[in-house]
Amino acid sequence: IMAEFGRALDSKPGDFVSFDGFEIDTYGDSDHARFYAKGSRRNGDLLRDVLRDFVGDVQTLTRKIKPQGLVSFNSVNEFGVEQMYDVTDFLFLEIWRDRTDQLEELTEICFRHRAPRRQRVVLKVYPADMQPGREVWPAHSLRRVLGATMTGAGSLMVAGEPDEAKNEMHALRTLYYPDHKAMPKENEQVLRDYYRHDAMLFGYTHGADVHNAEFTATISDCIVRTYAAPRHKALVVQLLHQGQEKRWSAEAAAEPKTDQEIVVELPGGAAPDRVFYASPDVAILQKPVALDFEIAGGKLRAILPQLPVHGTLILQYS
């Protein structure tokens, strides 16, 4: 197998294509499942240990041939993704409603699993798992699940396959390929706005130089997670306005917050000299805008002009 993988990676003149890494899939095995292969030295070992070692071997091979190459593992098993931290380059988890139906838990999964190695966490959540099931994400629901993952410094896998003949992008509906439905143009715009926001803030809200930093930021009806970006001399507050409906599986829309105060308890007596705010949901806020603010008693107060679903507050130091 490793020889075949090596041929897929190397860049020989006669190759039609050369891979930059591997995504390794799995079926979702139990914690106590064992690996059986007659004649193998690993016969009878716990499958979770064999899988981890196999993925580690793939990563080692990939690095040897292409130092910039990436390896991921689709974690749908009954054993923890923690087992894969040091043998993967980003974490890929499938999430089902019967295991977690709370928006904040999507955020927390991303936030907690990125902390040990500051890896990107990618979630796959299906519109067919909504109540009732949908063929594609309703646009506002898509904003909510995108915002939930990005608030936790993670990402959401939503795109399936492009149909080039019809000039359509198809979205994943369920686990089963090729179960794709044409994505509404409105959803395509949501993805453009959110991924632009995410890419713009690389190094501030996510990336190897960004640390989870649990200081307090208070705003009503919002999920909040906080970060430190020392390379950019910034503290960052990620916000998700979830409203009264806490479930990601429910189609719900909340009234956008306008002119809403946020209070940040500054860690270690810090005193930022500039504050910026951006939101992918509002055209005039898609590039960061400077906010007025005041600091008193170790707390920073500012007014967010609009927060429909997701937003990012950046506290900048000189």
Side-chain angles (χ1 to χ4, degrees):
I1 291 174
M2 290 300 162
E4 293 289 344
F5 279 14
R7 283 193 287 274
L9 286 164
D10 64 25
S11 300
K12 293 184 177 179
D15 288 347
F16 176 71
V17 68
S18 175
F19 286 84
D20 289 325
F22 297 98
E23 152 61 20
I24 300 171
D25 214 338
T26 185
Y27 283 105
D29 301 284
S30 66
D31 186 54
H32 59 271
R34 294 188 178 273
F35 174 75
Y36 295 109
K38 187 177 180 180
S40 170
R41 64 181 178 83
R42 304 300 300 268
N43 187 49
D45 287 0
L46 286 172
L47 181 61
R48 68 185 186 214
D49 296 333
V50 176
L51 282 171
R52 182 202 173 280
D53 293 345
F54 173 67
V55 175
D57 288 346
V58 174
Q59 187 186 54
T60 299
L61 174 72
T62 301
R63 291 284 197 279
K64 182 179 179 180
I65 297 174
K66 287 188 173 173
Q68 79 281 11
L70 300 175
V71 172
S72 71
F73 177 78
N74 189 7
S75 299
V76 296
N77 298 290
E78 296 300 323
F79 45 88
V81 70
E82 295 88 348
Q83 181 127 340
M84 310 305 292
Y85 282 172
D86 62 345
V87 295
T88 54
D89 297 295
F90 60 91
L91 302 172
F92 184 27
L93 294 86
E94 293 196 19
I95 305 298
W96 301 94
R97 172 170 46 84
D98 62 352
R99 298 304 177 92
T100 175
D101 195 19
Q102 301 296 306
L103 272 172
E104 187 160 18
E105 289 178 359
L106 298 184
T107 298
E108 188 66 4
I109 288 168
C110 295
F111 185 74
R112 292 298 171 191
H113 283 305
R114 78 173 297 272
R117 297 184 63 230
R118 297 186 290 281
Q119 291 171 285
R120 198 74 199 260
V121 179
V122 181
L123 303 187
K124 186 191 286 187
V125 187
Y126 300 107
D129 210 20
M130 294 183 70
Q131 292 181 299
R134 301 292 297 265
E135 291 190 344
V136 297
W137 289 107
H140 194 77
S141 297
L142 180 57
R143 290 181 185 276
R144 280 162 53 93
V145 290
L146 281 165
T149 56
M150 288 184 183
T151 298
S155 179
L156 180 73
M157 179 180 173
V158 293
E161 296 178 346
D163 183 337
E164 295 179 1
K166 296 182 179 179
N167 194 29
E168 294 177 343
M169 174 60 77
H170 288 196
L172 291 175
R173 175 176 176 267
T174 67
L175 171 66
Y176 304 103
Y177 290 85
D179 191 6
H180 298 160
K181 304 294 179 182
M183 182 185 295
K185 294 297 181 183
E186 183 180 10
N187 286 14
E188 290 188 26
Q189 188 61 50
V190 171
L191 291 181
R192 287 191 187 97
D193 293 341
Y194 270 75
Y195 289 149
R196 184 189 302 115
H197 182 87
D198 189 59
M200 175 179 66
L201 294 175
F202 178 73
Y204 284 88
T205 61
H206 61 289
D209 297 320
V210 178
H211 302 257
N212 293 17
E214 298 188 52
F215 54 93
T216 302
T218 306
I219 182 172
S220 63
D221 295 328
C222 286
I223 297 168
V224 178
R225 293 295 183 275
T226 48
Y227 304 90
R231 184 177 178 182
H232 292 287
K233 297 182 179 180
L235 296 175
V236 180
V237 181
Q238 292 267 66
L239 302 159
L240 176 74
H241 177 211
Q242 64 176 340
Q244 297 302 307
E245 178 53 74
K246 313 300 184 186
R247 297 171 299 159
W248 63 260
S249 66
E251 186 173 356
E255 284 295 319
K257 286 183 175 295
T258 56
D259 298 327
Q260 180 70 45
E261 184 181 62
I262 184 169
V263 180
V264 181
E265 296 188 16
L266 298 169
D273 50 23
R274 292 169 295 166
V275 174
F276 298 94
Y277 176 67
S279 170
D281 302 309
V282 184
I284 61 173
L285 297 175
Q286 288 181 350
K287 292 183 179 179
V289 297
L291 298 184
D292 294 328
F293 63 96
E294 60 180 36
I295 298 174
K299 295 182 179 181
L300 180 145
R301 297 176 183 270
I303 302 296
L304 306 184
Q306 295 184 63
L307 178 57
V309 180
H310 179 55
T312 302
L313 186 72
I314 299 172
L315 314 182
Q316 193 80 56
Y317 300 81
S318 296

